[in-house]
Amino acid sequence: MIRIAVLASGSGSNAQRMIEHFAQHVKGRVVLVACDQPEAGVLQRAWDLGVPSYLFTGTQLKNGTVQCELQGQRIDLVVLAGFMRLIPVELVRAFPQRIVNIHPALLPRYGGKGMYGHHVHEAVVAAKEKESGITIHYVNERYDEGEHIFQPKCPVLPDDSPETLAARIHELEHAHYPKVVEKLAEALIQEPRA
Ligand code: GRF
């Protein structure tokens, strides 16, 4: 069974979908929710769903403590779901092609440092884009630059506000992220960790 850790900083609706999805699957399981914000909604969601959580600081992310925790818990796949910090290069190297992120726009546009949450949707609406979408991608040591895995699109309607667009994007995320991670988990079963 592939052991999945979800890293999140916020509300955690994607984390919840991931937990619920894998509760129905024998091949993988979300065994840990790791979070850097003590007030984040994702911690309550994890508690309600019976998934252990691990709260850490930015310093612990940088100094290798988080990496030790993930390795100690025999995590196979790290899923970022609204996680706001840069992943240190050592952690990227410790989990090669085993850390994935979801971004609420069609990268490489509307990505990079500072382009997160409502900022992304505000920029897309202000630019009068006709379409937006999500990008599920591997994580490397630079924000939003890892290899793309899947990039479904949705329309941006003429009367969309950043909020209405955000709701459409969230639906797209919830529909696709768990399924994409399931495919990655299935591929990892064929290729056990060294
Ligand atoms: C999502 O839109 C995701 O793309 C972005 O942060 C948001 C997290 O939402 N990286 P939630 O906390 O899963 O509801």
Side-chain angles (χ1 to χ4, degrees):
M1 190 189 70
I2 296 298
R3 294 171 60 80
I4 299 167
V6 176
L7 267 63
S9 304
S11 152
S13 69
N14 279 287
Q16 178 170 347
R17 288 305 198 301
M18 202 65 68
I19 292 166
E20 290 169 343
H21 182 85
F22 280 98
Q24 314 293 327
H25 284 76
V26 287
K27 290 177 181 161
R29 189 68 33 102
V30 177
V31 295
L32 184 69
V33 167
C35 175
D36 62 327
Q37 300 292 331
E39 304 297 329
V42 70
L43 292 169
Q44 184 65 45
R45 291 187 199 254
W47 177 265
D48 291 343
L49 292 163
V51 176
S53 54
Y54 165 58
L55 184 62
F56 59 88
T57 64
T59 302
Q60 288 174 315
L61 180 63
K62 284 186 190 147
N63 71 14
T65 306
V66 173
Q67 182 180 325
C68 279
E69 181 71 23
L70 297 174
Q71 289 174 320
Q73 296 219 20
R74 294 288 179 263
I75 298 300
D76 300 295
L77 192 53
V78 177
V79 172
L80 310 187
F83 185 63
M84 303 305 293
R85 293 180 193 268
L86 189 65
I87 300 296
V89 63
E90 294 80 9
L91 185 51
V92 173
R93 288 187 185 145
F95 288 87
Q97 301 288 85
R98 287 162 183 261
I99 309 180
V100 292
N101 183 39
I102 188 163
H103 185 80
L106 298 172
L107 291 173
R109 304 192 65 203
Y110 304 105
K113 194 167 166 61
M115 266 297 169
Y116 60 88
H118 65 97
H119 300 290
V120 176
H121 307 304
E122 281 165 11
V124 169
V125 168
K128 300 196 187 324
E129 295 285 358
K130 297 255 183 315
E131 64 179 12
S132 188
I134 62 173
T135 306
I136 298 169
H137 63 94
Y138 288 110
V139 168
N140 66 17
E141 58 272 30
R142 288 178 302 279
Y143 279 112
D144 300 331
E145 287 188 18
E147 181 193 338
H148 293 184
I149 300 168
F150 190 51
Q151 199 171 48
K153 295 175 182 168
C154 66
V156 181
L157 305 177
D159 58 352
D160 261 334
S161 65
E163 291 73 27
T164 57
L165 177 58
R168 196 172 305 119
I169 292 285
H170 249 119
E171 278 178 26
L172 206 57
E173 294 183 330
H174 296 161
H176 291 289
Y177 205 15
K179 288 185 193 160
V180 169
V181 172
E182 184 188 330
K183 285 205 179 114
L184 297 177
E186 280 171 1
L188 284 182
I189 286 175
Q190 316 298 328
E191 175 214 329
R193 202 175 170 83

Short mmCIF file of all heavy atoms in Angstrom, two decimals, residues 107-133:
data_model
loop_
_atom_site.label_atom_id
_atom_site.label_comp_id
_atom_site.label_asym_id
_atom_site.label_seq_id
_atom_site.Cartn_x
_atom_site.Cartn_y
_atom_site.Cartn_z
N LEU A 107 -0.44 26.75 -15.69
CA LEU A 107 0.98 27.10 -15.70
C LEU A 107 1.54 26.87 -17.11
O LEU A 107 1.03 26.02 -17.83
CB LEU A 107 1.73 26.21 -14.69
CG LEU A 107 1.41 26.49 -13.23
CD1 LEU A 107 2.08 25.44 -12.32
CD2 LEU A 107 1.87 27.89 -12.80
N PRO A 108 2.55 27.60 -17.57
CA PRO A 108 3.40 28.49 -16.76
C PRO A 108 2.81 29.87 -16.51
O PRO A 108 3.43 30.68 -15.83
CB PRO A 108 4.68 28.59 -17.60
CG PRO A 108 4.21 28.44 -19.00
CD PRO A 108 3.05 27.47 -18.94
N ARG A 109 1.62 30.16 -17.04
CA ARG A 109 1.04 31.47 -16.79
C ARG A 109 0.42 31.50 -15.39
O ARG A 109 -0.05 30.50 -14.89
CB ARG A 109 -0.02 31.78 -17.85
CG ARG A 109 0.59 31.68 -19.27
CD ARG A 109 -0.34 32.24 -20.29
NE ARG A 109 -0.52 33.67 -20.08
CZ ARG A 109 -1.57 34.35 -20.51
NH1 ARG A 109 -2.53 33.72 -21.14
NH2 ARG A 109 -1.66 35.64 -20.29
N TYR A 110 0.42 32.64 -14.78
CA TYR A 110 -0.18 32.86 -13.45
C TYR A 110 0.41 31.93 -12.38
O TYR A 110 -0.31 31.36 -11.58
CB TYR A 110 -1.71 32.70 -13.53
CG TYR A 110 -2.30 33.62 -14.56
CD1 TYR A 110 -2.73 33.13 -15.79
CD2 TYR A 110 -2.37 34.99 -14.32
CE1 TYR A 110 -3.24 33.99 -16.75
CE2 TYR A 110 -2.87 35.85 -15.28
CZ TYR A 110 -3.30 35.35 -16.49
OH TYR A 110 -3.79 36.19 -17.44
N GLY A 111 1.73 31.78 -12.44
CA GLY A 111 2.41 30.98 -11.42
C GLY A 111 3.58 31.74 -10.83
O GLY A 111 3.81 32.90 -11.15
N GLY A 112 4.30 31.08 -9.95
CA GLY A 112 5.49 31.67 -9.33
C GLY A 112 5.18 32.28 -7.98
O GLY A 112 4.05 32.26 -7.51
N LYS A 113 6.23 32.84 -7.37
CA LYS A 113 6.10 33.38 -6.01
C LYS A 113 5.04 34.48 -5.98
O LYS A 113 4.99 35.34 -6.86
CB LYS A 113 7.47 33.93 -5.58
CG LYS A 113 7.57 34.20 -4.10
CD LYS A 113 9.03 34.44 -3.73
CE LYS A 113 9.16 35.06 -2.35
NZ LYS A 113 8.62 34.23 -1.28
N GLY A 114 4.18 34.44 -4.99
CA GLY A 114 3.14 35.46 -4.84
C GLY A 114 1.86 35.15 -5.61
O GLY A 114 0.83 35.75 -5.36
N MET A 115 1.94 34.21 -6.55
CA MET A 115 0.74 33.84 -7.33
C MET A 115 0.09 32.64 -6.65
O MET A 115 0.38 31.48 -6.98
CB MET A 115 1.12 33.48 -8.77
CG MET A 115 1.01 34.62 -9.72
SD MET A 115 -0.69 35.21 -9.88
CE MET A 115 -0.38 36.70 -10.77
N TYR A 116 -0.78 32.93 -5.70
CA TYR A 116 -1.48 31.85 -5.00
C TYR A 116 -2.88 32.33 -4.63
O TYR A 116 -3.15 33.54 -4.61
CB TYR A 116 -0.70 31.42 -3.74
CG TYR A 116 -0.53 32.53 -2.74
CD1 TYR A 116 -1.50 32.78 -1.77
CD2 TYR A 116 0.58 33.36 -2.78
CE1 TYR A 116 -1.36 33.82 -0.87
CE2 TYR A 116 0.72 34.41 -1.88
CZ TYR A 116 -0.25 34.63 -0.93
OH TYR A 116 -0.13 35.67 -0.05
N GLY A 117 -3.74 31.37 -4.37
CA GLY A 117 -5.10 31.66 -3.90
C GLY A 117 -5.80 32.70 -4.75
O GLY A 117 -5.78 32.66 -5.98
N HIS A 118 -6.41 33.68 -4.09
CA HIS A 118 -7.24 34.66 -4.80
C HIS A 118 -6.43 35.53 -5.75
O HIS A 118 -6.96 36.06 -6.73
CB HIS A 118 -8.03 35.52 -3.80
CG HIS A 118 -7.15 36.37 -2.93
ND1 HIS A 118 -6.89 37.68 -3.21
CD2 HIS A 118 -6.46 36.08 -1.81
CE1 HIS A 118 -6.08 38.18 -2.29
NE2 HIS A 118 -5.81 37.23 -1.43
N HIS A 119 -5.11 35.68 -5.49
CA HIS A 119 -4.29 36.49 -6.40
C HIS A 119 -4.34 35.93 -7.83
O HIS A 119 -4.35 36.67 -8.80
CB HIS A 119 -2.82 36.50 -5.94
CG HIS A 119 -2.64 37.08 -4.57
ND1 HIS A 119 -2.81 38.42 -4.31
CD2 HIS A 119 -2.33 36.52 -3.39
CE1 HIS A 119 -2.60 38.65 -3.04
NE2 HIS A 119 -2.31 37.50 -2.44
N VAL A 120 -4.34 34.61 -7.92
CA VAL A 120 -4.34 33.96 -9.23
C VAL A 120 -5.65 34.29 -9.96
O VAL A 120 -5.64 34.75 -11.10
CB VAL A 120 -4.22 32.42 -9.07
CG1 VAL A 120 -4.32 31.73 -10.42
CG2 VAL A 120 -2.92 32.06 -8.38
N HIS A 121 -6.77 34.09 -9.28
CA HIS A 121 -8.07 34.29 -9.95
C HIS A 121 -8.31 35.76 -10.27
O HIS A 121 -8.89 36.10 -11.30
CB HIS A 121 -9.18 33.71 -9.09
CG HIS A 121 -8.92 32.28 -8.70
ND1 HIS A 121 -8.70 31.31 -9.65
CD2 HIS A 121 -8.78 31.68 -7.50
CE1 HIS A 121 -8.46 30.16 -9.04
NE2 HIS A 121 -8.50 30.35 -7.74
N GLU A 122 -7.84 36.65 -9.39
CA GLU A 122 -7.96 38.09 -9.68
C GLU A 122 -7.20 38.43 -10.95
O GLU A 122 -7.69 39.18 -11.80
CB GLU A 122 -7.41 38.90 -8.50
CG GLU A 122 -8.39 39.00 -7.35
CD GLU A 122 -7.75 39.48 -6.04
OE1 GLU A 122 -6.58 39.92 -6.07
OE2 GLU A 122 -8.42 39.36 -5.01
N ALA A 123 -6.00 37.89 -11.09
CA ALA A 123 -5.18 38.20 -12.27
C ALA A 123 -5.80 37.63 -13.54
O ALA A 123 -5.82 38.29 -14.59
CB ALA A 123 -3.76 37.64 -12.07
N VAL A 124 -6.36 36.42 -13.45
CA VAL A 124 -6.97 35.79 -14.62
C VAL A 124 -8.20 36.58 -15.07
O VAL A 124 -8.38 36.85 -16.27
CB VAL A 124 -7.34 34.31 -14.30
CG1 VAL A 124 -8.20 33.71 -15.41
CG2 VAL A 124 -6.07 33.48 -14.11
N VAL A 125 -9.04 36.99 -14.12
CA VAL A 125 -10.24 37.77 -14.46
C VAL A 125 -9.85 39.14 -15.01
O VAL A 125 -10.39 39.60 -16.01
CB VAL A 125 -11.17 37.89 -13.22
CG1 VAL A 125 -12.26 38.91 -13.45
CG2 VAL A 125 -11.78 36.52 -12.89
N ALA A 126 -8.87 39.78 -14.38
CA ALA A 126 -8.43 41.11 -14.83
C ALA A 126 -7.88 41.06 -16.25
O ALA A 126 -8.05 42.02 -17.01
CB ALA A 126 -7.37 41.67 -13.87
N ALA A 127 -7.25 39.95 -16.61
CA ALA A 127 -6.68 39.82 -17.96
C ALA A 127 -7.73 39.41 -18.99
O ALA A 127 -7.41 39.23 -20.17
CB ALA A 127 -5.54 38.80 -17.94
N LYS A 128 -8.99 39.24 -18.52
CA LYS A 128 -10.09 38.83 -19.41
C LYS A 128 -9.76 37.56 -20.20
O LYS A 128 -10.07 37.44 -21.41
CB LYS A 128 -10.48 39.96 -20.36
CG LYS A 128 -10.94 41.23 -19.65
CD LYS A 128 -11.66 42.15 -20.60
CE LYS A 128 -12.02 43.50 -20.05
NZ LYS A 128 -12.40 43.58 -18.65
N GLU A 129 -9.16 36.62 -19.50
CA GLU A 129 -8.87 35.32 -20.13
C GLU A 129 -10.18 34.62 -20.47
O GLU A 129 -11.18 34.77 -19.76
CB GLU A 129 -8.06 34.44 -19.17
CG GLU A 129 -6.68 34.96 -18.84
CD GLU A 129 -5.68 34.78 -19.97
OE1 GLU A 129 -6.04 34.22 -21.03
OE2 GLU A 129 -4.54 35.25 -19.80
N LYS A 130 -10.17 33.82 -21.51
CA LYS A 130 -11.36 33.07 -21.91
C LYS A 130 -11.41 31.70 -21.23
O LYS A 130 -12.44 31.06 -21.14
CB LYS A 130 -11.39 32.87 -23.42
CG LYS A 130 -11.47 34.16 -24.21
CD LYS A 130 -12.87 34.33 -24.76
CE LYS A 130 -13.06 35.56 -25.62
NZ LYS A 130 -12.48 36.78 -25.09
N GLU A 131 -10.21 31.24 -20.83
CA GLU A 131 -10.19 29.96 -20.12
C GLU A 131 -9.12 29.96 -19.03
O GLU A 131 -8.15 30.73 -19.09
CB GLU A 131 -9.99 28.78 -21.08
CG GLU A 131 -8.69 28.78 -21.79
CD GLU A 131 -8.53 27.58 -22.71
OE1 GLU A 131 -9.51 26.86 -22.98
OE2 GLU A 131 -7.41 27.37 -23.18
N SER A 132 -9.38 29.13 -18.03
CA SER A 132 -8.40 28.90 -16.98
C SER A 132 -8.39 27.40 -16.72
O SER A 132 -8.85 26.62 -17.57
CB SER A 132 -8.72 29.71 -15.73
OG SER A 132 -7.66 29.61 -14.80
N GLY A 133 -7.90 26.99 -15.58
CA GLY A 133 -7.85 25.55 -15.30
C GLY A 133 -6.94 25.27 -14.14
O GLY A 133 -6.66 26.16 -13.32
#
